């Protein structure tokens, strides 16, 4: 899903961007829940673990660094 703001950034900074769509642009998935939670520092790993305990299932996380990815991965394995 791309908001108008994101679409404007794409047009401003990218040359001939490609778009891949698996559903029609007007269709939203009813069974997908999106959350954005701002957490700082070392509290991020605990926040992820708490969310997964609260709502078990499949999750997609976006992290900025490989170190953050490894930290969260290690916590999930534990």
């Amino acid at each position: 899903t791309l908001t108008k703001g994101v679409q404007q950034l794409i047009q401003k900074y990218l040359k001939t961007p490609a778009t891949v769509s698996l559903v029609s642009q007007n269709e939203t998935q009813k069974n997908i829940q999106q959350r954005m939670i701002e957490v700082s520092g070392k509290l991020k790993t605990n926040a992820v673990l708490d969310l997964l305990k609260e709502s078990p299932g499949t999750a997609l996380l976006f992290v900025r660094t490989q170190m953050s990815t490894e930290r969260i991965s290690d916590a999930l394995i534990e």
Side-chain angles (χ1 to χ4, degrees), residues 47-65:
V48 168
L49 294 173
D50 290 343
L51 284 172
L52 291 174
K53 287 177 187 173
E54 177 186 316
S55 302
T58 302
L60 177 61
L61 304 173
F62 293 92
V63 295
R64 188 172 15 154
T65 65

Side-chain angles (χ1 to χ4, degrees), residues 29-36 51 54-56 58-60:
Q29 296 296 314
K30 304 287 187 235
N31 60 344
I32 294 177
Q33 181 182 36
Q34 296 182 40
R35 293 186 187 183
M36 199 246 356
L51 284 172
E54 177 186 316
S55 302
T58 302
L60 177 61

Side-chain angles (χ1 to χ4, degrees), residues 14 19 28 67:
L14 299 179
T19 301
T28 59
M67 184 181 292

Side-chain angles (χ1 to χ4, degrees), residues 65-75:
T65 65
Q66 183 175 351
M67 184 181 292
S68 296
T69 304
E70 290 171 359
R71 187 179 314 122
I72 291 173
S73 174
D74 291 344

Side-chain angles (χ1 to χ4, degrees), residues 11 40 42 55:
Q11 290 179 1
S40 62
K42 294 181 181 180
S55 302

